[in-house]
Amino acid sequence: MTSWDNDSTHQEEEDLLNIPSSFPAFPYPTPYDIQTRFMQELFECIDRRKVGIFESPTGTGKSLSMICGAVGWLMERDRAERERSEQTLKDAKKSEATCYSTSTSGYSGGMPDWALQHHAVSNANREKQERKMKAQELEQRIQAVRDRERRIREEMERKKKRQAAGMHSIGGHFAPSLKVTKKKKEDPEEDFANDTEYLLDEYDSDEDGRGGRKPTERNSNIGNISKEVLDLLKRFDDKEDALRRAGASSFSTEDDVQEPNVLKIYYCSRTHSQLSQFIEELRKTSYGDHLHVISLGSRKNLCINEEFRKKASHKTKSAGASTTVNINKLNDACLDAQKSGTPTDQRCQFLPAFSSSGARPKLSGSESSSVASEATFVGKFRDSTTMTGDEKLLEFRDHALAHIRDIEELAALGTELETCPYYGSRKTVRHCQLVTLPYNLLLHTSTRESLKLVVKDNILLLDEAHNLINSLLQMHSVILPLDHLVLAQDQLKVYLSRFELQLSSINEGYIRVLLRILKALEDFVTRWTDESGEGSSAPTTHYQQSSGTPQAAEKTFRPVDRVMKVNEFLHDAKMDHINLFKAHSYLENSGVARKLQGFHESLQRKEAQRIHKEQQHRGIGKVKIHSERRPPIPSSKLPSTTPVLLTVDSFLISLLNPDNDGRVILTMEETNRDNDEDHDGDALLSHDQTAVSTLRRPVLKFILLNPSRVFQPLVEEARSVVLAGGTMEPVSDLLSHLFPYLKDEGPTEYSRIHRFSCGHVIPKENLITLIIQKSPTGLPLDLSFAQRNRDEVMDGIGHALVNLLNLIPDGVVVFFVSYSYMAQIMTRWQHKPNNSVNSMSIMDRIQARKAVFVEPKESSDADRMLREYHNSIHSEPEHGANPAMASSAVGGDSIARPGPKGAVLFSVVGGKMSEGINFSDRLGRGVIMVGMPFPNKGSAELQERMRYMDQLQRHEQDHSFSGTAPTMRLTAGSEYYENLCMRAVNQSIGRAIRHRGDYAAIVLLDKRYDTTRIRKKLPGWIGSSIEVCGQFGPAVKHLAGFFRAKRTGVTVSTMR
């Protein structure tokens, strides 16, 4: 029986809670009505074990409502459980007394009834006391940390006052700042490699043909965690067990080592910045002193080892010359330092090594008492040099639970305590009631399992869930290039020749199986490229553009993409006789991927040293080894520090999916030859400089088509799953693609789905939405793919934009459908009319009205650009527009003012500015959508997804045909295609209107927006504010009147 069939059973076992009329933890005196309804509906959704789809526009306090609704339920459930436990104990005692007074005989199993009852009551009492003492012990440790930090802050304040008064600080007892000793600089040519280090351990395989059994624990390498750290984390659990046994020796040790029965809320969002914003909102509530919270992240956010970060960093080629961190290189630097045999000075000082035995000594009676009172040590001076690794993890846990901290603060805490926050945060999860984490850590099955995240009967809150389907599809899709297949074979052959006599027969057999798989995959790809020579090739659906204009685009030829189901691919690749599950099990458990990569890197170092010695007077060339059959692969294009077999393993895992749930695509992938593919946004103004040479290589792709397959286990296990966002429409995709198994036969199609949607908190007069069908010159604004590249259409957009920027004050964000189209149209706008030097181009007119900013492609440059955008707007007084100048706008451009007023930001739908960035108040008085961002319909992946959805639709219609002709409407694939576009539009226009007193104009430049089907898919909070303008003149009139009213008569309320 599935979990949704058990809803009634669950509700019979536990009493439903009363939905509160108010939420005292809400930080403001009176919440909006829609906020109260949101909190009540969320409370009910969780209590009734429903799957929720909640839509609340940005600026309506969605995060606060989620916190108060979900955490409020958690607190109320905890209170109800305590009362229920106490009542059960009272009833048991009463029953015991009754049994004792009435029982004269009547034995069961040799014991009287009253004795059995007394035993049951004793057990219940003991379990209650055990839970109470565990909670008290943890709270005592946390409170000790809080007290210590408070004393330190008070001492620092006293010191500041003494210094201000000209006194010297004498006798201070606060803990000195802990400085990390810098490791001795590593000699890049020094080789510590020892070949025997890379020899595989014995592997124990099942004989039933169903796959390999996990080896001994010492061979495990789970989720980018080395075996040394796994030992450390295991000892941490042993330490906690010792602490509990010392405090209550009679407790069952078997129960101690298991996950405590603590209800959890997992809050997920797409980015760490969104998670940090959630933590800030949580701090505003009164839950901060009662809730244990931890934030999980990647090493990129939590690694505090500067040496590792330097190894993984590289300079970008953008204007800011900023530094970015390669997450794969950082993972490998960390894991390599934890390998056995690594010299002490090369290990991470934040994960200290243990004694050679690796085991904690047994505790005597006096030592147990000392351990039991260990909570007191956090209040004393901390000597990190005498603390063991598990003690450091314990201390980090106590400090992390003492206060609500975001990712940055956890990293700072790790630096202060000289303890790795990456591993420390993971060991804190078990004690937390609220865990914040990015999507991939929860939604990706293997990652979730490696973190040991317990979903059973807990609550999952997925924020910003408008793009959840695509996130799941991308997360479980795999790309395997041909050059990776060649490299993996070369590495395995060299490894086998070196260790063949030392390997066990099982390891050697599995390595030869892996070589057969790799060879079969390589031959399959090679046959396709050989059979699809240029003579039989078809033009690619993508034109390779070198100058940004369609006239300059040249057709390039490549082999026709081949799309296959999994079974067809396995048959054609001659792999259908190979047990892929056993191969995957071996790759997962044997550690061969990392052993192979380490051995390969040691050979590279040795070869580099040899070449350096031979050619030190003639210059050093690039090291070129282990790839003799083909030209060497550019090092920038290979994951030189990431085991290539891990990519192969991911591809093999994908082939274990059901035949119809995914597709294998054989295609040519185009990548830039240069390592830095992206160029800074300013270069878009001079698009001729952005052309880069490309490298085309054959790749195998697995694409997942059925996201419900990977999401269903979460829905079945969790108590409640809630999808929330500012723009969840259109919801039909979520229901049909994520929850088809929840569809009922009765009149209520989705009885387990709890839907909530509300309007905006702003008055209706604070928003105006315009659909403009024609340019100022009367040209229809048809921005379809076939029409948008025409010069007159691009000029028409430019003329319209010039006038709109003259009417909208302060900041305006303009969204284009793609980076390439933005570059193309901006290049066009720089052309002078009639090639006259003295005339003004469209771009000149735009710059005369507002300062122009362009979204950069490098993420590291986005913050700098946003600061400049903010400063440019706030350097001028508010309401800088002059609607009186609009009289000359119709039929041409309005008169240019002396000097720009405000700023305009050119951005891309789906880019860095379309999500997670708040353009509130003056930063976003207008949002302009140029065109409709339909995805590329020529993509083989998109075509296959659409076919798959059409197939499911036909299957459903065949089984539900009632004899009446179906109504004419879009096919499921076409509906999905259109929904992709509208979801991106809705997310982009939601950047404006961030609070109750905010106001803005939304302008849609494309006549296609004025179709009934498209308008229904716009956000519900736009409501009746849409004005369709068949000519440009009425749009000028509406905008001028809207902003004139705001400038003269509207008082903007204080931002909440």
Side-chain angles (χ1 to χ4, degrees):
M1 189 179 344
T2 54
S3 62
W4 55 88
D5 293 328
N6 280 325
D7 286 346
S8 58
T9 305
H10 281 299
Q11 293 176 7
E12 289 175 1
E13 294 175 353
E14 61 181 17
D15 296 330
L16 297 179
L17 301 176
N18 294 324
I19 300 174
S21 59
S22 63
F23 293 81
F26 195 82
Y28 300 105
T30 306
Y32 305 138
D33 290 340
I34 61 174
Q35 289 175 325
T36 300
R37 288 197 296 117
F38 188 109
M39 291 183 280
Q40 291 174 334
E41 298 256 5
L42 181 58
F43 189 101
E44 180 183 4
C45 176
I46 296 174
D47 196 50
R48 272 62 173 174
R49 297 179 175 270
K50 300 286 187 178
V51 174
I53 301 177
F54 281 62
E55 181 181 57
S56 182
T58 304
T60 57
K62 171 170 59 72
S63 296
L64 274 177
S65 301
M66 291 180 69
I67 292 168
C68 294
V71 179
W73 178 88
L74 193 70
M75 297 298 183
E76 183 64 18
R77 170 56 60 187
D78 184 60
R79 182 198 60 78
E81 285 294 331
R82 289 198 307 270
E83 291 181 355
R84 184 180 180 181
S85 178
E86 292 174 359
Q87 185 61 43
T88 301
L89 187 59
K90 289 179 182 179
D91 294 342
K93 288 181 177 179
K94 184 177 180 180
S95 177
E96 178 190 7
T98 303
C99 287
Y100 183 75
S101 62
T102 59
S103 175
T104 56
S105 59
Y107 287 77
S108 176
M111 293 182 66
D113 293 340
W114 65 267
L116 294 174
Q117 188 69 25
H118 176 76
H119 183 69
V121 172
S122 298
N123 287 339
N125 263 320
R126 185 171 64 252
E127 291 173 1
K128 178 183 176 182
Q129 291 299 319
E130 178 182 354
R131 290 193 300 268
K132 185 177 180 180
M133 290 187 67
K134 287 180 181 179
Q136 287 177 346
E137 182 268 335
L138 182 61
E139 289 300 327
Q140 287 173 359
R141 293 176 60 88
I142 294 172
Q143 189 58 47
V145 171
R146 290 172 177 164
D147 293 342
R148 173 178 178 267
E149 293 181 354
R150 176 180 51 79
R151 289 194 298 270
I152 291 176
R153 286 193 295 269
E154 291 173 353
E155 181 64 27
M156 293 178 68
E157 288 297 324
R158 287 193 293 270
K159 180 179 177 181
K160 290 179 181 178
K161 291 179 181 179
R162 289 196 299 268
Q163 290 175 339
M167 298 175 59
H168 294 288
S169 176
I170 301 175
H173 297 290
F174 58 92
S177 60
L178 299 173
K179 295 184 179 179
V180 178
T181 51
K182 193 172 183 180
K183 294 191 300 184
K184 180 180 177 183
K185 188 174 182 180
E186 181 182 351
D187 183 358
E189 296 190 13
E190 187 174 358
D191 183 20
F192 298 100
N194 185 348
D195 282 359
T196 58
E197 174 187 352
Y198 307 111
L199 180 63
L200 286 168
D201 297 322
E202 292 290 333
Y203 181 74
D204 187 8
S205 175
D206 281 343
E207 300 298 334
D208 60 1
R210 298 182 59 189
R213 187 177 68 224
K214 283 192 176 182
T216 58
E217 184 179 351
R218 63 190 180 93
N219 296 335
S220 298
N221 191 332
I222 304 174
N224 278 349
I225 301 180
S226 69
K227 73 180 184 64
E228 285 79 6
V229 173
L230 287 173
D231 292 339
L232 168 68
L233 300 182
K234 183 178 184 301
R235 284 192 291 275
F236 175 86
D237 291 334
D238 295 340
K239 177 73 171 182
E240 287 189 312
D241 297 337
L243 285 170
R244 284 192 287 269
R245 286 194 298 272
S249 58
S250 62
F251 295 165
S252 170
T253 58
E254 182 180 354
D255 293 335
D256 287 340
V257 299
Q258 296 179 359
E259 188 78 14
N261 187 22
V262 177
L263 267 178
K264 283 181 175 60
I265 298 173
Y266 292 101
Y267 172 85
C268 298
S269 196
R270 296 184 66 191
T271 65
H272 284 292
S273 62
Q274 292 167 344
L275 295 174
S276 295
Q277 292 173 11
F278 180 83
I279 292 294
E280 285 300 315
E281 294 296 303
L282 178 61
R283 287 180 175 135
K284 296 177 182 178
T285 69
S286 60
Y287 292 129
D289 296 332
H290 312 287
L291 200 65
H292 295 158
V293 183
I294 196 66
S295 296
L296 299 181
S298 65
R299 286 186 177 89
K300 187 175 183 179
N301 301 97
L302 289 174
C303 178
I304 57 176
N305 189 311
E306 290 302 323
E307 292 297 322
F308 292 173
R309 297 187 74 88
K310 287 179 182 178
K311 290 180 181 179
S313 300
H314 69 276
K315 294 280 188 179
T316 64
K317 293 188 177 182
S318 59
S322 56
T323 300
T324 60
V325 176
N326 184 308
I327 183 61
N328 289 327
K329 291 183 178 180
L330 186 59
N331 285 336
D332 291 327
C334 176
L335 294 173
D336 289 343
Q338 299 167 31
K339 292 177 179 177
S340 59
T342 302
T344 303
D345 62 344
Q346 294 184 23
R347 287 184 174 272
C348 179
Q349 64 268 40
F350 305 110
L351 276 175
F354 287 82
S355 62
S356 59
S357 64
R360 296 283 293 138
K362 294 185 177 181
L363 302 175
S364 62
S366 59
E367 288 173 330
S368 297
S369 300
S370 174
V371 170
S373 61
E374 186 179 351
T376 60
F377 91 94
V378 296
K380 301 178 181 179
F381 177 75
R382 178 181 180 278
D383 185 2
S384 63
T385 60
T386 61
M387 295 178 65
T388 61
D390 54 351
E391 288 171 342
K392 283 191 172 187
L393 286 177
L394 281 169
E395 186 191 27
F396 181 90
R397 181 202 68 180
D398 296 341
H399 280 261
L401 295 179
H403 301 285
I404 297 176
R405 306 175 194 266
D406 60 20
I407 285 288
E408 291 77 13
E409 291 165 337
L410 285 174
L413 176 65
T415 302
E416 178 187 349
L417 300 180
E418 292 185 307
T419 303
C420 175
Y422 176 77
Y423 290 113
S425 60
R426 277 151 173 71
K427 293 308 298 181
T428 308
V429 169
R430 61 185 298 181
H431 304 282
C432 291
Q433 298 152 298
L434 176 61
V435 180
T436 69
L437 67 169
Y439 270 6
N440 62 303
L441 298 188
L442 181 71
L443 300 181
H444 196 270
T445 305
S446 60
T447 305
R448 181 174 68 250
E449 291 174 351
S450 71
L451 294 176
K452 299 181 181 178
L453 299 180
V454 178
V455 176
K456 183 69 174 177
D457 289 331
N458 288 320
I459 300 105
L460 309 185
L461 301 182
L462 306 182
D463 202 0
E464 302 297 334
H466 58 278
N467 206 31
L468 179 60
I469 294 176
N470 280 347
S471 297
L472 288 168
L473 294 176
Q474 293 171 9
M475 207 176 293
H476 293 85
S477 297
V478 185
I479 297 178
L480 181 60
L482 174 62
D483 47 37
H484 286 200
L485 295 172
V486 174
L487 179 64
Q489 288 181 80
D490 292 340
Q491 290 182 358
L492 278 174
K493 288 179 179 178
V494 173
Y495 183 87
L496 191 60
S497 65
R498 168 62 182 83
F499 295 106
E500 185 173 8
L501 298 179
Q502 297 168 271
L503 288 171
S504 68
S505 59
I506 294 178
N507 277 319
E508 181 183 354
Y510 271 109
I511 289 177
R512 296 193 182 280
V513 170
L514 292 178
L515 282 170
R516 288 211 310 272
I517 292 174
L518 293 169
K519 180 61 176 173
L521 292 173
E522 181 197 0
D523 290 346
F524 180 74
V525 177
T526 304
R527 284 198 304 272
W528 172 72
T529 55
D530 292 343
E531 293 170 0
S532 302
E534 183 171 322
S536 60
S537 298
T540 174
T541 54
H542 303 284
Y543 288 165
Q544 183 176 346
Q545 299 183 7
S546 59
S547 64
T549 59
Q551 291 82 357
E554 297 180 358
K555 289 184 179 180
T556 59
F557 288 86
R558 70 178 183 189
V560 179
D561 293 343
R562 183 175 178 188
V563 182
M564 299 152 282
K565 289 186 177 182
V566 172
N567 289 340
E568 177 190 358
F569 166 73
L570 291 175
H571 178 268
D572 290 356
K574 299 179 174 59
M575 292 172 54
D576 47 357
H577 64 288
I578 300 176
N579 190 329
L580 296 182
F581 184 84
K582 293 195 73 171
H584 156 63
S585 181
Y586 180 74
L587 285 168
E588 181 181 38
N589 298 312
S590 67
V592 64
R594 298 204 61 80
K595 295 277 188 180
L596 182 66
Q597 183 67 18
F599 177 67
H600 175 67
E601 290 173 358
S602 72
L603 291 181
Q604 285 184 316
R605 287 194 298 269
K606 292 178 181 178
E607 183 73 2
Q609 289 178 3
R610 185 187 64 80
I611 294 176
H612 175 71
K613 291 178 180 178
E614 293 179 356
Q615 302 179 347
Q616 55 184 341
H617 299 296
R618 294 175 293 166
I620 302 178
K622 291 185 177 179
V623 180
K624 305 174 183 178
I625 60 174
H626 307 323
S627 186
E628 300 174 355
R629 291 176 296 158
R630 284 176 172 76
I633 309 298
S635 60
S636 62
K637 293 301 170 190
L638 285 179
S640 57
T641 60
T642 301
V644 69
L645 280 183
L646 293 184
T647 306
V648 176
D649 186 34
S650 297
F651 187 76
L652 296 183
I653 295 173
S654 68
L655 298 180
L656 300 176
N657 279 282
D659 186 49
N660 199 44
D661 281 1
R663 298 291 184 271
V664 177
I665 300 178
L666 191 50
T667 183
M668 297 294 292
E669 180 185 66
E670 293 184 357
T671 58
N672 293 342
R673 291 183 185 273
D674 189 71
N675 191 40
D676 291 316
E677 300 182 13
D678 294 340
H679 296 260
D680 61 289
D682 296 336
L684 292 172
L685 292 173
S686 179
H687 185 57
D688 292 338
Q689 301 176 3
T690 65
V692 291
S693 58
T694 58
L695 176 69
R696 296 167 62 245
R697 60 178 182 176
V699 298
L700 280 167
K701 287 185 180 181
F702 174 84
I703 61 169
L704 182 69
L705 299 179
N706 183 9
S708 67
R709 178 76 61 176
V710 294
F711 196 61
Q712 184 174 348
L714 291 173
V715 177
E716 291 180 351
E717 290 188 25
R719 177 191 181 94
S720 180
V721 178
V722 178
L723 314 184
T727 51
M728 296 300 293
E729 290 292 342
V731 178
S732 57
D733 278 356
L734 294 174
L735 297 177
S736 58
H737 301 151
L738 285 184
F739 309 114
Y741 48 89
L742 296 183
K743 190 172 183 180
D744 302 326
E745 298 295 336
T748 305
E749 285 193 330
Y750 293 91
S751 60
R752 200 189 171 201
I753 300 292
H754 186 117
R755 292 184 59 179
F756 172 83
S757 181
C758 63
H760 216 296
V761 294
I762 62 170
K764 63 179 181 180
E765 60 269 15
N766 279 19
L767 175 67
I768 183 173
T769 305
L770 302 177
I771 297 176
I772 300 180
Q773 297 183 328
K774 292 185 178 180
S775 71
T777 58
L779 180 75
L781 292 176
D782 179 4
L783 274 69
S784 60
F785 184 78
Q787 299 294 323
R788 70 187 188 190
N789 294 323
R790 295 167 51 201
D791 289 345
E792 55 268 31
V793 173
M794 291 188 285
D795 291 344
I797 297 170
H799 292 309
L801 194 58
V802 167
N803 288 281
L804 294 174
L805 295 180
N806 190 52
L807 296 167
I808 305 175
D810 301 321
V812 180
V813 185
V814 181
F815 286 102
F816 295 89
V817 295
S818 67
Y819 283 105
S820 61
Y821 188 64
M822 179 172 69
Q824 179 182 344
I825 200 169
M826 292 177 70
T827 302
R828 171 65 189 176
W829 288 349
Q830 294 182 73
H831 292 175
K832 305 283 187 181
N834 302 320
N835 295 322
S836 173
V837 177
N838 297 325
S839 61
M840 295 182 69
S841 67
I842 293 176
M843 184 57 70
D844 292 334
R845 295 178 184 274
I846 292 175
Q847 291 175 324
R849 284 153 176 78
K850 293 186 182 293
V852 175
F853 295 87
V854 181
E855 175 184 326
K857 280 195 173 183
E858 287 288 352
S859 300
S860 54
D861 293 332
D863 290 339
R864 172 183 58 83
M865 185 274 299
L866 286 173
R867 284 194 301 270
E868 294 174 357
Y869 175 75
H870 176 277
N871 295 337
S872 178
I873 293 169
H874 286 86
S875 63
E876 296 285 339
E878 194 170 3
H879 301 299
N882 184 7
M885 299 176 63
S887 58
S888 62
V890 181
D893 295 338
S894 55
I895 303 171
R897 299 167 296 175
K901 300 290 184 182
V904 58
L905 173 57
F906 293 133
S907 306
V908 174
V909 176
K912 301 168 187 64
M913 303 297 118
S914 64
E915 184 173 347
I917 304 296
N918 296 339
F919 294 101
S920 61
D921 299 308
R922 298 183 65 190
L923 297 180
R925 290 297 180 217
V927 173
I928 301 175
M929 289 291 307
V930 179
M932 298 183 67
F934 284 101
N936 175 20
K937 209 168 187 177
S939 164
E941 294 181 36
L942 179 59
Q943 290 179 359
E944 204 57 35
R945 295 193 200 284
M946 293 173 64
R947 290 193 194 100
Y948 174 75
M949 292 169 188
D950 289 342
Q951 172 190 337
L952 292 182
Q953 184 185 42
R954 288 192 298 270
H955 181 268
E956 182 179 348
Q957 290 175 348
D958 291 343
H959 285 76
S960 62
F961 185 67
S962 59
T964 58
T967 57
M968 294 299 295
R969 61 184 180 91
L970 290 177
T971 64
S974 299
E975 184 82 12
Y976 170 75
Y977 178 68
E978 189 172 272
N979 289 348
L980 286 176
C981 168
M982 293 310 300
R983 189 169 285 114
V985 169
N986 294 345
Q987 189 63 23
S988 296
I989 64 180
R991 297 308 89 206
I993 307 292
R994 312 301 292 186
H995 60 89
R996 186 180 184 88
D998 205 354
Y999 62 93
I1002 297 173
V1003 181
L1004 307 175
L1005 288 179
D1006 195 324
K1007 69 175 188 178
R1008 292 177 294 171
Y1009 282 107
D1010 186 30
T1011 59
T1012 303
R1013 191 178 64 252
I1014 294 296
R1015 288 177 62 176
K1016 286 182 177 179
K1017 294 180 179 180
L1018 289 169
W1021 52 269
I1022 289 181
S1024 59
S1025 67
I1026 300 178
E1027 296 285 349
V1028 180
C1029 303
Q1031 301 292 332
F1032 195 77
V1036 171
K1037 180 180 178 181
H1038 287 307
L1039 275 180
F1042 177 79
F1043 285 109
R1044 185 184 298 112
K1046 298 303 171 188
R1047 189 175 66 257
T1048 59
V1050 175
T1051 301
V1052 180
S1053 61
T1054 303
M1055 178 178 177
R1056 170 167 286 182

